[in-house]
Amino acid sequence: MNKIIAIDGPCGSGKGTVAEKLAKIFNLVNIDTGATYRCVALSVLKNNIPLDDEEKIIELSKNIDIKLSTDGKVYLDNEDVTNIIRGKEVSNIVSEVSSIEKVRENMVNIQRKMAENHDVVMEGRDITTVVFKNATYKFYLDASLDERVKRRIKQNKEKNIDMTYEEVYENIKKRDYNDMHKKVGALIRTDDQIYIDTTNMHIDDVVNKIKDIIERN
Ligand code: DC
């Protein structure tokens, strides 16, 4: 079986950066599953679909064309959407879009297909519990809300996304709640995940900790 490193955690817990670094160290395909839900959300906005029209959103998610390239770029219908999917508009609706069960089914299928025949590091909210329950390694990364807000603001600056502390704080708080209370695919902690609180850790220390665990097992 191919090797699967599964990482779950709330936004700003460091899982995206950690996954990128692990992919380089262990030569893995990096699959950012949040990007797949963000592409659905962007498509909803582009097609002016009201958020309560679940049928249309499900239909759209069934036929969506998403590609994640090895250099970290995200393509929706062959258009580079890497930056726009991180913007305010998409961030504000993505959690709600990702709560639709049939949308999740479609995205989980796409994510499993992306991992076929590859050794992968896959990060998201339900990788250790739904997408790859039998992953080779399962991690849950966490950090305090304040620290996660600060990290997201720093990332936003690098991507020229202009959001205030309050805006990011409210957005993350709301998303945490939604992500942890979904009927299907909720972000939860389980006994078989390795839990790492990254609040006071440098990102390289998190990567080294995971690297040590992988190399020891
Ligand atoms: O990791 P992110 O912030 O890019 O994820 C965007 C949203 O997608 C997040 O609010 C929750 C959702 N998501 C999910 O429900 N399941 C996943 N495996 C990944 C993300």
Side-chain angles (χ1 to χ4, degrees), residues 90-114:
V90 169
S91 295
N92 280 338
I93 66 160
V94 62
S95 188
E96 204 168 323
V97 168
S98 72
S99 305
I100 304 169
E101 286 182 34
K102 287 262 187 276
V103 169
R104 300 200 68 80
E105 265 175 36
N106 293 331
M107 289 309 104
V108 169
N109 285 337
I110 287 176
Q111 292 156 13
R112 285 182 179 148
K113 267 225 166 68
M114 285 173 171

mmCIF file of all heavy atoms in Angstrom, residues 90-114:
data_model
loop_
_atom_site.group_PDB
_atom_site.id
_atom_site.type_symbol
_atom_site.label_atom_id
_atom_site.label_comp_id
_atom_site.label_asym_id
_atom_site.label_seq_id
_atom_site.Cartn_x
_atom_site.Cartn_y
_atom_site.Cartn_z
ATOM 1 N N VAL A 90 -14.217 33.903 -0.513
ATOM 2 C CA VAL A 90 -14.234 32.435 -0.440
ATOM 3 C C VAL A 90 -14.152 31.983 1.020
ATOM 4 O O VAL A 90 -14.913 31.104 1.458
ATOM 5 C CB VAL A 90 -13.076 31.828 -1.282
ATOM 6 C CG1 VAL A 90 -12.911 30.343 -0.991
ATOM 7 C CG2 VAL A 90 -13.320 32.060 -2.772
ATOM 8 N N SER A 91 -13.270 32.613 1.801
ATOM 9 C CA SER A 91 -13.108 32.208 3.213
ATOM 10 C C SER A 91 -14.413 32.333 3.994
ATOM 11 O O SER A 91 -14.683 31.542 4.892
ATOM 12 C CB SER A 91 -12.033 33.057 3.893
ATOM 13 O OG SER A 91 -10.788 32.810 3.298
ATOM 14 N N ASN A 92 -15.205 33.324 3.626
ATOM 15 C CA ASN A 92 -16.453 33.551 4.360
ATOM 16 C C ASN A 92 -17.512 32.482 4.122
ATOM 17 O O ASN A 92 -18.381 32.282 4.958
ATOM 18 C CB ASN A 92 -17.040 34.923 4.000
ATOM 19 C CG ASN A 92 -16.336 36.019 4.771
ATOM 20 O OD1 ASN A 92 -15.735 35.771 5.811
ATOM 21 N ND2 ASN A 92 -16.390 37.232 4.245
ATOM 22 N N ILE A 93 -17.457 31.797 2.990
ATOM 23 C CA ILE A 93 -18.532 30.820 2.709
ATOM 24 C C ILE A 93 -18.061 29.372 2.646
ATOM 25 O O ILE A 93 -18.871 28.460 2.589
ATOM 26 C CB ILE A 93 -19.294 31.161 1.394
ATOM 27 C CG1 ILE A 93 -18.374 31.006 0.164
ATOM 28 C CG2 ILE A 93 -19.931 32.538 1.452
ATOM 29 C CD1 ILE A 93 -19.172 30.840 -1.132
ATOM 30 N N VAL A 94 -16.728 29.178 2.678
ATOM 31 C CA VAL A 94 -16.233 27.817 2.410
ATOM 32 C C VAL A 94 -16.689 26.792 3.446
ATOM 33 O O VAL A 94 -17.009 25.642 3.112
ATOM 34 C CB VAL A 94 -14.688 27.801 2.231
ATOM 35 C CG1 VAL A 94 -13.955 28.252 3.478
ATOM 36 C CG2 VAL A 94 -14.203 26.438 1.810
ATOM 37 N N SER A 95 -16.752 27.213 4.707
ATOM 38 C CA SER A 95 -17.137 26.248 5.734
ATOM 39 C C SER A 95 -18.574 25.785 5.518
ATOM 40 O O SER A 95 -18.886 24.590 5.643
ATOM 41 C CB SER A 95 -16.964 26.870 7.116
ATOM 42 O OG SER A 95 -17.145 25.908 8.093
ATOM 43 N N GLU A 96 -19.425 26.740 5.180
ATOM 44 C CA GLU A 96 -20.833 26.403 4.940
ATOM 45 C C GLU A 96 -20.981 25.462 3.741
ATOM 46 O O GLU A 96 -21.708 24.463 3.793
ATOM 47 C CB GLU A 96 -21.617 27.696 4.694
ATOM 48 C CG GLU A 96 -23.086 27.527 5.011
ATOM 49 C CD GLU A 96 -23.803 28.867 5.049
ATOM 50 O OE1 GLU A 96 -23.207 29.860 5.521
ATOM 51 O OE2 GLU A 96 -24.942 28.905 4.601
ATOM 52 N N VAL A 97 -20.239 25.784 2.674
ATOM 53 C CA VAL A 97 -20.293 24.926 1.479
ATOM 54 C C VAL A 97 -19.806 23.516 1.822
ATOM 55 O O VAL A 97 -20.383 22.515 1.399
ATOM 56 C CB VAL A 97 -19.423 25.547 0.348
ATOM 57 C CG1 VAL A 97 -19.208 24.576 -0.786
ATOM 58 C CG2 VAL A 97 -20.057 26.838 -0.164
ATOM 59 N N SER A 98 -18.754 23.457 2.656
ATOM 60 C CA SER A 98 -18.179 22.148 2.980
ATOM 61 C C SER A 98 -19.031 21.368 3.982
ATOM 62 O O SER A 98 -18.720 20.221 4.292
ATOM 63 C CB SER A 98 -16.754 22.314 3.528
ATOM 64 O OG SER A 98 -16.795 22.854 4.832
ATOM 65 N N SER A 99 -20.098 21.985 4.487
ATOM 66 C CA SER A 99 -20.993 21.262 5.408
ATOM 67 C C SER A 99 -22.028 20.429 4.661
ATOM 68 O O SER A 99 -22.714 19.609 5.273
ATOM 69 C CB SER A 99 -21.762 22.234 6.298
ATOM 70 O OG SER A 99 -20.879 23.052 6.969
ATOM 71 N N ILE A 100 -22.154 20.638 3.368
ATOM 72 C CA ILE A 100 -23.163 19.896 2.603
ATOM 73 C C ILE A 100 -22.639 18.465 2.373
ATOM 74 O O ILE A 100 -21.575 18.274 1.770
ATOM 75 C CB ILE A 100 -23.464 20.609 1.259
ATOM 76 C CG1 ILE A 100 -23.893 22.062 1.506
ATOM 77 C CG2 ILE A 100 -24.511 19.845 0.470
ATOM 78 C CD1 ILE A 100 -23.958 22.935 0.260
ATOM 79 N N GLU A 101 -23.390 17.503 2.899
ATOM 80 C CA GLU A 101 -22.875 16.129 2.924
ATOM 81 C C GLU A 101 -22.481 15.594 1.559
ATOM 82 O O GLU A 101 -21.448 14.950 1.398
ATOM 83 C CB GLU A 101 -23.907 15.203 3.577
ATOM 84 C CG GLU A 101 -23.951 15.410 5.078
ATOM 85 C CD GLU A 101 -24.917 14.479 5.777
ATOM 86 O OE1 GLU A 101 -25.065 13.328 5.319
ATOM 87 O OE2 GLU A 101 -25.520 14.913 6.759
ATOM 88 N N LYS A 102 -23.336 15.851 0.561
ATOM 89 C CA LYS A 102 -23.049 15.316 -0.782
ATOM 90 C C LYS A 102 -21.825 16.010 -1.414
ATOM 91 O O LYS A 102 -21.113 15.399 -2.214
ATOM 92 C CB LYS A 102 -24.274 15.481 -1.697
ATOM 93 C CG LYS A 102 -25.402 14.529 -1.375
ATOM 94 C CD LYS A 102 -25.326 13.336 -2.336
ATOM 95 C CE LYS A 102 -26.501 12.392 -2.215
ATOM 96 N NZ LYS A 102 -26.392 11.407 -1.164
ATOM 97 N N VAL A 103 -21.624 17.263 -1.061
ATOM 98 C CA VAL A 103 -20.413 17.960 -1.532
ATOM 99 C C VAL A 103 -19.194 17.246 -0.945
ATOM 100 O O VAL A 103 -18.206 16.987 -1.629
ATOM 101 C CB VAL A 103 -20.425 19.455 -1.117
ATOM 102 C CG1 VAL A 103 -19.064 20.103 -1.359
ATOM 103 C CG2 VAL A 103 -21.521 20.217 -1.847
ATOM 104 N N ARG A 104 -19.283 16.904 0.340
ATOM 105 C CA ARG A 104 -18.175 16.195 0.992
ATOM 106 C C ARG A 104 -17.909 14.859 0.317
ATOM 107 O O ARG A 104 -16.771 14.501 0.065
ATOM 108 C CB ARG A 104 -18.452 15.977 2.484
ATOM 109 C CG ARG A 104 -18.663 17.232 3.284
ATOM 110 C CD ARG A 104 -18.455 16.981 4.763
ATOM 111 N NE ARG A 104 -17.069 16.698 5.055
ATOM 112 C CZ ARG A 104 -16.121 17.631 5.179
ATOM 113 N NH1 ARG A 104 -16.418 18.895 5.081
ATOM 114 N NH2 ARG A 104 -14.873 17.277 5.416
ATOM 115 N N GLU A 105 -18.992 14.123 0.016
ATOM 116 C CA GLU A 105 -18.809 12.818 -0.662
ATOM 117 C C GLU A 105 -18.022 13.010 -1.952
ATOM 118 O O GLU A 105 -17.087 12.273 -2.240
ATOM 119 C CB GLU A 105 -20.173 12.226 -1.026
ATOM 120 C CG GLU A 105 -20.711 11.271 -0.006
ATOM 121 C CD GLU A 105 -22.116 10.820 -0.360
ATOM 122 O OE1 GLU A 105 -22.419 10.640 -1.558
ATOM 123 O OE2 GLU A 105 -22.920 10.675 0.582
ATOM 124 N N ASN A 106 -18.426 14.018 -2.727
ATOM 125 C CA ASN A 106 -17.759 14.254 -4.005
ATOM 126 C C ASN A 106 -16.302 14.657 -3.813
ATOM 127 O O ASN A 106 -15.421 14.217 -4.547
ATOM 128 C CB ASN A 106 -18.512 15.320 -4.819
ATOM 129 C CG ASN A 106 -19.876 14.815 -5.263
ATOM 130 O OD1 ASN A 106 -20.059 13.619 -5.454
ATOM 131 N ND2 ASN A 106 -20.840 15.712 -5.411
ATOM 132 N N MET A 107 -16.032 15.505 -2.821
ATOM 133 C CA MET A 107 -14.654 15.940 -2.586
ATOM 134 C C MET A 107 -13.793 14.791 -2.054
ATOM 135 O O MET A 107 -12.642 14.637 -2.455
ATOM 136 C CB MET A 107 -14.612 17.119 -1.600
ATOM 137 C CG MET A 107 -15.129 18.425 -2.147
ATOM 138 S SD MET A 107 -14.387 18.905 -3.730
ATOM 139 C CE MET A 107 -15.702 18.508 -4.848
ATOM 140 N N VAL A 108 -14.371 13.970 -1.175
ATOM 141 C CA VAL A 108 -13.608 12.832 -0.641
ATOM 142 C C VAL A 108 -13.208 11.894 -1.790
ATOM 143 O O VAL A 108 -12.070 11.412 -1.853
ATOM 144 C CB VAL A 108 -14.411 12.096 0.461
ATOM 145 C CG1 VAL A 108 -13.763 10.765 0.822
ATOM 146 C CG2 VAL A 108 -14.519 12.976 1.708
ATOM 147 N N ASN A 109 -14.127 11.678 -2.736
ATOM 148 C CA ASN A 109 -13.794 10.844 -3.903
ATOM 149 C C ASN A 109 -12.639 11.445 -4.694
ATOM 150 O O ASN A 109 -11.704 10.752 -5.082
ATOM 151 C CB ASN A 109 -15.003 10.696 -4.839
ATOM 152 C CG ASN A 109 -16.021 9.733 -4.253
ATOM 153 O OD1 ASN A 109 -15.671 8.894 -3.428
ATOM 154 N ND2 ASN A 109 -17.276 9.876 -4.659
ATOM 155 N N ILE A 110 -12.719 12.758 -4.918
ATOM 156 C CA ILE A 110 -11.657 13.436 -5.671
ATOM 157 C C ILE A 110 -10.326 13.321 -4.921
ATOM 158 O O ILE A 110 -9.280 13.027 -5.497
ATOM 159 C CB ILE A 110 -12.036 14.934 -5.894
ATOM 160 C CG1 ILE A 110 -13.145 15.046 -6.943
ATOM 161 C CG2 ILE A 110 -10.823 15.768 -6.306
ATOM 162 C CD1 ILE A 110 -13.661 16.471 -7.159
ATOM 163 N N GLN A 111 -10.381 13.535 -3.606
ATOM 164 C CA GLN A 111 -9.145 13.500 -2.804
ATOM 165 C C GLN A 111 -8.521 12.095 -2.814
ATOM 166 O O GLN A 111 -7.304 11.941 -2.933
ATOM 167 C CB GLN A 111 -9.456 13.927 -1.366
ATOM 168 C CG GLN A 111 -9.845 15.392 -1.254
ATOM 169 C CD GLN A 111 -10.694 15.698 -0.030
ATOM 170 O OE1 GLN A 111 -10.817 14.884 0.891
ATOM 171 N NE2 GLN A 111 -11.285 16.879 -0.001
ATOM 172 N N ARG A 112 -9.364 11.064 -2.718
ATOM 173 C CA ARG A 112 -8.824 9.694 -2.737
ATOM 174 C C ARG A 112 -8.192 9.392 -4.096
ATOM 175 O O ARG A 112 -7.155 8.747 -4.176
ATOM 176 C CB ARG A 112 -9.942 8.693 -2.430
ATOM 177 C CG ARG A 112 -10.313 8.697 -0.965
ATOM 178 C CD ARG A 112 -11.381 7.666 -0.669
ATOM 179 N NE ARG A 112 -11.717 7.658 0.746
ATOM 180 C CZ ARG A 112 -12.923 7.370 1.225
ATOM 181 N NH1 ARG A 112 -13.917 7.080 0.401
ATOM 182 N NH2 ARG A 112 -13.142 7.383 2.528
ATOM 183 N N LYS A 113 -8.846 9.882 -5.147
ATOM 184 C CA LYS A 113 -8.293 9.685 -6.506
ATOM 185 C C LYS A 113 -6.929 10.358 -6.638
ATOM 186 O O LYS A 113 -6.010 9.815 -7.238
ATOM 187 C CB LYS A 113 -9.237 10.309 -7.547
ATOM 188 C CG LYS A 113 -10.224 9.350 -8.109
ATOM 189 C CD LYS A 113 -10.338 9.484 -9.642
ATOM 190 C CE LYS A 113 -11.078 8.289 -10.203
ATOM 191 N NZ LYS A 113 -12.492 8.311 -9.790
ATOM 192 N N MET A 114 -6.824 11.576 -6.067
ATOM 193 C CA MET A 114 -5.551 12.311 -6.158
ATOM 194 C C MET A 114 -4.418 11.522 -5.499
ATOM 195 O O MET A 114 -3.256 11.672 -5.857
ATOM 196 C CB MET A 114 -5.676 13.676 -5.460
ATOM 197 C CG MET A 114 -6.472 14.700 -6.235
ATOM 198 S SD MET A 114 -6.716 16.179 -5.212
ATOM 199 C CE MET A 114 -7.415 17.314 -6.420
#
